[in-house]
């Protein structure tokens, strides 16, 4: 059976209807964004951040540049909080400083330098996010898209610039699990003692 031949006016009418339908779908999609792609079961973003919570402003180019200018965290150390407790956190190799960053793509080294152990720094961050924020990140030492998504959710929760980069401001706002060298035990809850 052959399809009937359509007149030019009918073709134009069908094209107009299709264009209106596509426009309506696009307009509706911008009002109701599709949910993010599902994350693997091994990595689930922060669950306790409400969807309708006011979102902190997105990072500007200057803020991103400043955050990226910090050195990569290439070690981890126990930062003392008091005589009994400390916080394991990412740090600069061979220094007591924790003024460093971790960002998407650190897997584990950034740049050409192969010194230090950034994989351990990333794992320390991932373990802390899992315990204190209830996520299920794979503790793999790779700062991938799931780790970045969880850091962004934590930044939103603490009303920080949402850039997905773990740096000094995120570190200071985050909740951390404490460790006691004296008793070789972990705290049962998290706090933000910094």
């Amino acid at each position: 059976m052959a399809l009937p031949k359509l007149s030019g006016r009918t073709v134009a009418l069908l094209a107009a209807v299709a264009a209106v339908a596509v426009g309506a779908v696009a307009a509706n999609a911008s009002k109701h964004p599709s949910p993010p792609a599902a994350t693997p079961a091994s990595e689930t973003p922060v669950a306790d951040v409400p969807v309708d919570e006011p979102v902190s402003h997105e990072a500007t180019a200057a803020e991103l540049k400043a955050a990226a200018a910090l050195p990569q965290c290439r070690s981890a150390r126990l930062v003392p909080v008091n005589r009994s407790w400390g916080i394991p956190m990412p740090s600069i190799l061979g220094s007591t400083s924790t003024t460093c960053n971790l960002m998407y793509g650190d897997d584990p080294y950034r740049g050409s330098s192969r010194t230090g152990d950034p994989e351990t720094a990333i794992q320390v961050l991932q373990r802390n996010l899992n315990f204190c924020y209830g996520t299920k990140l794979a503790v793999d030492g790779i700062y991938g898209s799931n780790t970045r998504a969880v850091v962004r959710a934590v930044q939103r929760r603490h009303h920080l610039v949402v850039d997905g980069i773990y740096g000094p401001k995120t570190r200071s706002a985050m909740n951390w699990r404490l460790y006691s060298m004296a008793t070789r035990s972990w705290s049962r809850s998290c706090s933000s003692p910094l």
Side-chain angles (χ1 to χ4, degrees):
M1 177 167 159
L3 293 174
K5 186 164 179 139
L6 300 175
S7 70
R9 184 174 183 176
T10 305
V11 171
L13 180 62
L14 290 174
V17 169
V20 169
V22 169
V25 169
N28 193 34
S30 67
K31 290 179 188 173
H32 305 288
S34 60
T39 56
S42 65
E43 296 194 27
T44 306
V46 176
D48 56 356
V49 178
V51 175
D52 58 351
E53 176 181 323
V55 177
S56 301
H57 70 284
E58 293 295 318
T60 65
E63 289 166 331
L64 286 172
K65 186 176 179 181
L70 291 174
Q72 181 186 21
C73 300
R74 294 181 183 246
S75 185
R77 66 181 295 270
L78 189 66
V79 177
V81 173
N82 58 34
R83 289 184 176 192
S84 302
W85 296 95
I87 303 171
M89 64 177 45
S91 65
I92 295 176
L93 177 66
S95 171
T96 59
S97 176
T98 57
T99 305
C100 55
N101 70 22
L102 292 167
M103 64 178 72
Y104 180 68
D106 287 351
D107 58 350
Y109 293 98
R110 181 189 318 149
S112 60
S113 177
R114 295 289 182 251
T115 60
D117 189 11
E119 182 176 6
T120 297
I122 296 167
Q123 289 172 335
V124 164
L125 175 64
Q126 290 170 329
R127 281 189 193 98
N128 190 75
L129 291 168
N130 285 345
F131 186 82
C132 293
Y133 292 93
T135 60
K136 292 180 175 70
L137 288 169
V139 181
D140 57 7
I142 297 171
Y143 202 105
S145 59
N146 291 329
T147 301
R148 177 179 59 181
V150 170
V151 169
R152 288 174 63 93
V154 167
Q155 290 169 331
R156 233 178 253 111
R157 178 178 181 170
H158 292 289
H159 308 291
L160 300 172
V161 172
V162 180
D163 59 9
I165 298 173
Y166 166 84
K169 289 181 182 178
T170 303
R171 176 203 68 220
S172 295
M174 279 178 60
N175 294 323
W176 293 90
R177 188 176 190 192
L178 304 174
Y179 181 77
S180 171
M181 285 296 289
T183 62
R184 298 193 184 280
S185 62
W186 290 94
S187 63
R188 293 183 182 177
S189 62
C190 298
S191 62
S192 184
L194 299 179

